Amino acid sequence: MQFESFERESPTINVSALIDVVFILLIFVVLAANFDRVREMDVVLPSAEQTSAPSTDAEVLTLLPTGEMRLGDRSVTRAELFDALKKSRESFEVLVLVGDGEVALKEAVFVFDEAARAGFESVSIATRKAESAD
């Protein structure tokens, strides 16, 4: 009499699902690090009732209350701004202006003008959600 033999299958781990999870965690960490940069610059964003999610494919120009301008991670002067924006325009179509609420309007207008001359299709102003007084 012959008995039927069962072969044991070795357990396998689906690596593609594991890679998906790792990439999602990596994206979360990168986005969280970007939002943390705004907090460490001592910039108090102006508040607005209507806000939207920031664009992930945008160049960031920060106007500090001291008058300093930072394009991405490097400091630029008013004289260097147009050339720096022109170079950034090769990689980005959108510019996000992150400015302290106390920055003069003339600085924002200057940035808008220079961004338009450099060829940016869109310039947005970063704001924070207004706190309701309910």
Side-chain angles (χ1 to χ4, degrees):
M1 180 167 170
Q2 224 172 349
F3 291 106
E4 193 175 323
S5 65
F6 294 102
E7 290 184 33
R8 286 189 163 200
E9 289 185 29
S10 59
T12 59
I13 297 175
N14 188 353
V15 178
S16 64
L18 182 64
I19 291 172
D20 289 344
V21 170
V22 169
F23 278 129
I24 289 171
L25 289 174
L26 180 66
I27 289 170
F28 177 75
V29 168
V30 168
L31 289 176
N34 275 342
F35 293 131
D36 196 41
R37 278 193 318 185
V38 172
R39 274 187 245 124
E40 76 183 29
M41 286 190 197
D42 289 333
V43 173
V44 179
L45 295 175
S47 62
E49 289 293 325
Q50 300 295 319
T51 61
S52 62
S55 173
T56 56
D57 189 29
E59 180 68 284
V60 177
L61 177 72
T62 307
L63 294 175
L64 299 173
T66 60
E68 181 184 0
M69 284 187 255
R70 299 189 61 78
L71 186 62
D73 291 334
R74 70 181 192 101
S75 184
V76 293
T77 64
R78 286 177 66 100
E80 301 169 336
L81 183 62
F82 175 73
D83 292 330
L85 287 173
K86 191 79 167 163
K87 186 174 180 183
S88 289
R89 177 60 187 94
E90 296 170 4
S91 303
F92 300 100
E93 292 181 4
V94 177
L95 179 70
V96 176
L97 177 60
V98 177
D100 189 276
E102 300 299 318
V103 171
L105 181 60
K106 69 179 182 177
E107 292 299 318
V109 171
F110 174 74
V111 169
F112 280 115
D113 187 43
E114 294 295 289
R117 280 188 14 179
F120 277 94
E121 294 177 11
S122 173
V123 181
S124 301
I125 297 177
T127 60
R128 62 184 163 86
K129 184 80 172 158
E131 302 194 13
S132 60
D134 293 338

